[in-house]
C-alpha cells in the first residue's frame, strides 16, 4: 500500500489540505520586473510572499497560509486578483 493502515486517515487529511498559493514569473514577459517588484511589496492575509530559493532567478514565490481558494473568496483582495488576471492576459 501507499502507507501503513494506521496512517491512512492522516494521509487522506494531508491530501485534502489546502496548498499555499504560489507563482512562477516568466522572466521574458514584458511585465516580469513589475510583477517581481509587486510581489516584494505585497502583504496578503497577514503573510508576506517569500521567494522559493530552489527556483532560479528569484522567479518562484509562495504565500504560506494563503491558499488559492481562500484568495478567490476574499473580497478584500480584489485589487490583487485583478492585477494577476491582467498579467496573465498580457502573457
Amino acid at each position: 500500500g501507499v502507507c501503513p493502515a494506521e496512517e491512512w486517515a492522516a494521509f487522506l487529511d494531508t491530501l485534502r489540505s489546502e496548498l499555499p498559493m504560489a507563482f512562477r514569473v516568466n522572466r521574458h514577459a514584458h511585465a516580469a520586473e513589475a510583477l517581481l517588484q509587486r510581489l516584494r511589496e505585497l502583504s496578503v492575509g497577514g503573510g508576506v510572499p517569500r521567494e522559493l530559493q530552489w527556483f532560479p532567478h528569484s522567479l518562484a514565490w509562495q504565500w504560506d497560509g494563503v491558499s488559492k481558494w481562500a484568495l478567490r473568496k476574499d473580497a478584500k483582495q480584489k485589487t490583487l486578483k485583478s492585477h494577476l488576471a491582467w498579467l496573465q492576459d498580457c502573457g
Side-chain angles (χ1 to χ4, degrees):
V2 174
C3 67
E6 61 272 6
E7 296 177 12
W8 186 250
F11 175 72
L12 290 177
D13 287 342
T14 300
L15 291 177
R16 291 181 184 121
S17 65
E18 294 182 348
L19 296 173
M21 187 172 61
F23 293 93
R24 184 192 65 82
V25 178
N26 177 354
R27 72 177 174 168
H28 301 293
H30 71 280
E33 283 303 318
L35 178 57
L36 288 170
Q37 183 62 33
R38 180 109 167 125
L39 286 170
R40 290 180 184 106
E41 295 169 355
L42 282 175
S43 175
V44 177
V48 294
R50 67 177 177 91
E51 291 179 42
L52 297 176
Q53 299 298 318
W54 53 266
F55 201 90
H57 308 291
S58 302
L59 295 174
W61 293 73
Q62 174 176 308
W63 276 282
D64 296 319
V66 178
S67 74
K68 181 169 118 176
W69 306 112
L71 183 68
R72 284 185 181 175
K73 295 177 185 178
D74 188 351
K76 295 181 286 185
Q77 302 304 333
K78 187 175 183 178
T79 302
L80 173 59
K81 290 185 283 189
S82 297
H83 185 70
L84 293 172
W86 175 79
L87 287 170
Q88 184 175 4
D89 290 343
C90 292

